[in-house]
Each structure stands twice: as structure tokens, then as C-alpha cells.
Amino acid sequence: MALIMSDVDRFEAARPRLEAIAYRLLGSSSEAEDAVQETYLRWQAADAGRIEVPEAWLTKVLTNLCLNQLTSARARRETYVGRWLPEPLLTGDPMLGPADTAEQRESVSYAVLVLLERLSPNERAVYVLREAFDHPHREIAEILDITEASSQQTYHRAKKHVADGRARTEIDEAAARRIVEEFLAAATSGRTEPLIRLLTEDAVSVGDGGGKVPARAKAFEGALAVATFLRGLFKPGKAKRNLLGGTAKFYATTANGGPAMVAVVDGRVIGITCLEVGPEGIVAIRNQVNPDKLVRATELWAATDHGAGPLHTL
């Protein structure tokens, strides 16, 4: 059945919300876009005039496509080179979705996206639909073909897993920038002591290079180990520039609502460092350097004004 314009418009009106759901479920913008496109193809093939609540129909189709993708993704990640981390999204990216409430902001924070990887596909879906998009359990049950009681139990279990894994700390944009400035100043000082003062005793640092860019698969653990690694990482030199592909410029920004540092070479984003901050300091440093997961960030970066310029060059 050929689509009439109103059906196309109806889908396009729903697209931003569908992309935001898919990104939270999959942790990848390209996979989220693919899932939304497949949802559109199924919408196109359906008799839209017979669908009573299009938004509910689209959400159900998309969520189940994402569940299938999550199941296959788990198998693929067993053969992934190095540590798999979600794709960070820079502030201003519409795929981040709603951020009106603390729950919505937390649901797309980088720390939570990492924790969501520990959940089963169903737990992840229930958590995202309830926490970020405020679906009642009756609707979630219909989407996932489970009982309402099962949805409630799954949500409480998922929320407990997420809460157990982190201390909740909200940081505004100005504070986030200050944190990144302090972190970068310490990292480029050539000494470990300034970094150790910013880190918690059990701080960790991990990177995702996807086998395409050097990144240590095993996390550095403990303030001293992390500080020593970072001191070496920011040590300047010709060999370092050759490895980076040129002179790298470092900027303070926010990604997924939290403090982040962006490394740029010739206008191309080559790395995003997300800092997880707790009450006692920086808890985790997660470096995304897999070029496949930085394409979208590079596009947004090119279209954004960066104010006073870089904080540091290497």
C-alpha cells in the first residue's frame, strides 16, 4: 500500500523519539538509525489506517527490533577487539532525547549506558521505556508481550542494578567544564600528584579502540595506576603526533550530559574522554577512540561553535 503524505509525516514526527529510544537501548547511533529505518519500512508495509495508536505500534516494533539486535550484539561483542564501550554523543545531538527530568538525564548518561550493558535485553528495555520515556507498566507489558506484574518486577530489578553500580551526581555545564579544565591541567602537568588528587582511590580508566586504534583492553585500576597512565598519554613528542595523525587539540565539552574532553585533529574528532564524577572525585575515565564510533560526533563538531578554542594542544 502506497503511503499517503500524512502517514509519512506521522512517522517523521515520531522519528526523534524513536531514535532516542533506540540509542539508549543499543548504545550506538548507527545501529539506532538502522533500527528506526527498519521500523519505517515495516510502517510502510502496514495498513496504517487500521493502526489505532500509531505511536504505540511504532514503539513496539522498534523495541522488539532493538531486542533482537541486542541479542545478536552480545554474540558479536564476544569477538570484539578490546573493551566495548557505548558511543558517546555530544551535547546538542537530538538523539540524546528528552532531558526534562533527572531520571531522563541520568538514563542517557555515559555511566548508566555502560551499566545497562550488564542488564538482560528485557531488563534494559523495561528500564529505558519506564525511566526515560515514562511508559506505564501496562504499555510496557504490551510492547514486550509480558505481564504487567513482570514488567514491574523487571523494572525494579534493573533499577537496583543501575543504582548499585554508581553514586548519583548531577553536574551542570559550567561545573562540567571546570572539572575537565582541572583534569586536563593535571594530566598535562607531567606529574602524577595533581591527577591523584582529582581521582578516587578506586578510580578506573578504560578505552575502546575497536582494534583500529591502540587502546588497552584491560582497565587501569587505582588512582596511582590511572595517573601514571595518563601522565604518559599526554607526554608530548613527535612520535605521539605521528600516532595521532597530526597535532591534537583538546577541548572541554559535555557528552551524554556529563563532563567530557574532545580531541580533534584537522577537524576530525579522534577521541572523546568521558569523566564519571562522584562525591569524592573522578570515579572513571572512559576513552572512546574507535573511529567508527566518532563519525557522528565529528559531523556535529564541524557544525558547532567552540568558543575560546582548545585548552591544550599535543
Side-chain angles (χ1 to χ4, degrees):
M1 174 182 175
L3 283 179
I4 61 174
M5 196 56 165
S6 62
D7 293 333
V8 174
D9 290 343
R10 184 172 291 171
F11 184 87
E12 290 304 320
R15 183 184 290 275
R17 181 175 175 278
L18 295 175
E19 288 186 344
I21 292 173
Y23 170 69
R24 282 168 165 82
L25 289 176
L26 301 174
S28 161
S29 68
S30 60
E31 291 181 5
E33 288 172 340
D34 289 346
V36 172
Q37 182 60 22
E38 179 60 29
T39 303
Y40 173 74
L41 294 176
R42 298 194 182 194
W43 170 255
Q44 189 177 33
D47 185 351
R50 298 174 68 90
I51 297 173
E52 292 184 7
V53 186
E55 291 76 12
W57 188 92
L58 291 169
T59 302
K60 182 180 178 72
V61 170
L62 174 78
T63 301
N64 282 283
L65 285 170
C66 288
L67 288 176
N68 292 337
Q69 181 74 3
L70 281 171
T71 301
S72 61
R74 289 192 170 210
R76 290 199 311 275
R77 288 171 193 169
E78 290 178 2
T79 59
Y80 189 82
V81 179
R83 180 71 67 93
W84 189 96
L85 290 175
E87 174 182 351
L89 296 183
L90 299 177
T91 295
D93 194 316
M95 197 175 279
L96 289 169
D100 298 326
T101 68
E103 289 75 18
Q104 289 173 335
R105 292 189 292 273
E106 183 177 46
S107 73
V108 78
S109 71
Y110 203 66
V112 166
L113 288 183
V114 170
L115 289 171
L116 291 182
E117 288 295 311
R118 304 179 186 177
L119 305 183
S120 70
N122 260 32
E123 286 174 337
R124 187 164 182 161
V126 171
Y127 179 87
V128 167
L129 291 173
R130 179 65 185 156
E131 194 80 352
F133 297 92
D134 203 29
H135 280 273
H137 285 290
R138 174 182 51 78
E139 291 180 5
I140 297 173
E142 292 173 358
I143 289 169
L144 299 177
D145 293 323
I146 58 178
T147 65
E148 188 171 344
S150 177
S151 176
Q152 292 171 338
Q153 292 168 0
T154 302
Y155 171 68
H156 290 304
R157 186 166 61 246
K159 191 167 183 178
K160 184 177 185 303
H161 287 325
V162 171
D164 286 347
R166 67 189 298 265
R168 184 168 177 169
T169 305
E170 276 213 84
I171 299 170
D172 63 28
E173 194 166 341
R177 181 177 178 84
R178 288 195 300 272
I179 289 167
V180 176
E181 289 173 347
E182 290 178 11
F183 170 77
L184 189 55
T188 58
S189 69
R191 297 180 295 122
T192 57
E193 292 81 3
L195 277 165
I196 290 174
R197 286 197 293 269
L198 296 178
L199 302 169
T200 61
E201 288 186 7
D202 58 351
V204 298
S205 175
V206 64
D208 176 353
K212 300 182 179 183
V213 174
R216 179 182 163 100
K218 186 178 180 181
F220 290 93
E221 300 181 355
L224 179 58
V226 172
T228 303
F229 162 68
L230 290 170
R231 183 186 61 186
L233 187 67
F234 282 93
K235 186 176 181 180
K238 184 177 179 181
K240 186 66 61 65
R241 286 192 293 274
N242 290 339
L243 180 64
L244 297 174
T247 299
K249 299 178 180 179
F250 295 87
Y251 297 81
T253 186
T254 53
N256 295 75
M261 181 177 66
V262 175
V264 181
V265 172
D266 295 331
R268 178 173 57 90
V269 175
I270 64 164
I272 299 177
T273 301
C274 296
L275 305 179
E276 181 181 351
V277 180
E280 298 179 1
I282 297 173
V283 176
I285 301 162
R286 300 184 178 96
N287 300 296
Q288 182 55 261
V289 292
N290 183 344
D292 293 343
K293 298 181 182 181
L294 298 171
V295 174
R296 188 179 178 94
T298 294
E299 293 172 353
L300 183 61
W301 189 260
T304 306
D305 177 25
H306 309 300
L311 296 175
H312 182 72
T313 59
L314 184 63

